[in-house]
Amino acid sequence: MENMFRLMAGEEYLSDRRCIWVNGPVIVGAGPSGLATAACLRDQGVPFVVVERSDCIASLWQKRTYDRLKLHLPKKFCQLPKMPFPDHYPEYPTKRQFIDYLESYANKFEIKPEFNKSVVSARFDETSGLWRVKTTTTAGEEMEYICRWLVVATGENAERVVPEINGLKEFDGEVVHAWEYKSGEKYRGKRVLVVGCGNSGMEVSLDLANHNAIASMVVRSSVHVLPREIMGKSTFGISVMLMKWLPLWLVDKLLLILSWLVLGSLSRYGLKRPSIGPMELKSKTGKTPVLDIGALEKIKSGEVEIVPAIKRFSQCHVELVDGHKLDIDAVVLATGYRSNVPSWLQESEFFSKNGFPKSPFPNAWKGKSGLYAAGFTRKGLAGASADAVNIAQDIGNVWREETKRKKMRRNVGHRRCISVA
């Protein structure tokens, strides 16, 4: 409480803003990373507060994903700490199953986020040695949380990326980002251009083809496409196993040979591979290879057309850089996501301008002055889980030591009272 008194004495206090002292860390974000961190803190006996801008946990999964979505990796690589997936879940759980799992997870560890609270700023107060986290609701109600530790768990995909494309505002058809796309049913019989060839772009194109839409997918640059499974084994699982024993370049070489045996050459379909291997590319840039779940079959059959980069849009068609023009009815922007940390965190030493920690994995989870990051490793749910365990142990060690000292002081004070009496 001494820090709290210094804070109140050293700076102005606005009586019209509610100010709350948090006896533990504030976790920003109630997605998988935030839930995992909260559960691990609960296991350490450390109190916490989770603030979430939406009205539910895992809002990205619940509100910004398409209906057919499944986990692309086997469930053992996606479960959160201290609670495995139910045995009856399939190897690749559906979107609904994953949401149910997260809700059960929150209930088990008694995680009750404070919903509808957007963090507008968070800064470390040098005078008090505490973090000041300001939030607001849609109704304009302001609140400020004061805490010793701040855990940034807003994730790598907090905001959609909508690129500037020449003439797109002139296009008369529907334009949606992939996080607004739900199903290809509404596009049945329509000509749809999918901009982007990552996992989302591939899966949206597959879904459109399955609903008898006329789908074209823009591929501007090279891309690694790998089979989701090789000889019945997860490609990701195979790569993890190989990287324990072999250098990265050799793992990439083996993965590409195996992929060629399963998928064949893809360059004739307009899909050219990057000059460096998939795992090395992931390590250097964070760009995830595409795990094919059926889109390649549609591409090879001609049900999904691969087209080059866009030159410009007009009212009802798109002109490509090779001079061809396509008449289209709708556009789906599968152009990715980004971190929103720079918009609210007033800190520049730990986080870079792109919203990711400056330190590479495995040292991207801890900054200075009680600042932590969960889920920014570019290693999916497994990386978020590892962050959560590290963060909780680090805070828990300090918490237990301080608790022990407090008990010792109380015991000494009690003995003094007895002797005086």
Side-chain angles (χ1 to χ4, degrees), residues 159-311:
E159 302 290 345
R160 60 184 176 176
V161 173
V162 180
E164 290 288 335
I165 304 177
N166 190 18
L168 184 58
K169 293 181 180 178
E170 302 172 14
F171 179 62
D172 287 338
E174 181 183 24
V175 179
V176 298
H177 191 273
W179 81 352
E180 301 166 280
Y181 178 92
K182 295 301 179 184
S183 169
E185 178 61 37
K186 65 179 291 188
Y187 300 102
R188 191 178 296 274
K190 294 184 177 180
R191 298 161 297 186
V192 185
L193 182 70
V194 178
V195 182
C197 60
N199 279 296
S200 293
M202 286 282 189
E203 192 156 1
V204 167
S205 298
L206 170 61
D207 190 56
L208 288 167
N210 285 339
H211 285 89
N212 295 319
I214 304 166
S216 301
M217 182 171 63
V218 175
V219 179
R220 293 187 304 164
S221 57
S222 55
V223 58
H224 278 299
V225 182
L226 307 177
R228 185 170 67 173
E229 293 184 342
I230 297 174
M231 295 179 289
K233 300 293 183 181
S234 160
T235 302
F236 179 79
I238 292 172
S239 67
V240 169
M241 179 189 67
L242 290 175
M243 284 191 290
K244 291 180 180 179
W245 308 101
L246 302 174
L248 192 60
W249 68 267
L250 184 53
V251 173
D252 275 338
K253 182 78 71 176
L254 292 172
L255 284 178
L256 291 176
I257 291 172
L258 292 170
S259 295
W260 182 82
L261 291 173
V262 175
L263 303 176
S265 175
L266 302 180
S267 58
R268 56 179 167 166
Y269 301 104
L271 299 171
K272 296 181 180 179
R273 294 195 181 278
S275 58
I276 61 176
M279 296 297 104
E280 184 181 357
L281 187 66
K282 171 72 173 174
S283 176
K284 288 183 176 180
T285 68
K287 188 174 182 180
T288 303
V290 173
L291 295 178
D292 178 53
I293 57 171
L296 278 181
E297 182 182 343
K298 300 295 183 181
I299 292 170
K300 291 177 179 179
S301 68
E303 294 174 77
V304 173
E305 181 185 9
I306 299 297
V307 299
I310 296 166
K311 184 176 182 179

Side-chain angles (χ1 to χ4, degrees), residues 31 50 89 104 125 183 189 312 355 357 373 376 380:
V50 181
Y89 270 33
S104 297
D125 183 78
S183 169
R312 68 169 62 89
F376 292 89

Side-chain angles (χ1 to χ4, degrees), residues 6-7 11 123-132 369:
R6 287 209 308 267
L7 176 71
E11 297 195 23
R123 69 178 181 87
F124 184 70
D125 183 78
E126 297 287 350
T127 304
S128 63
L130 299 170
W131 284 92
R132 303 182 64 155
S369 305

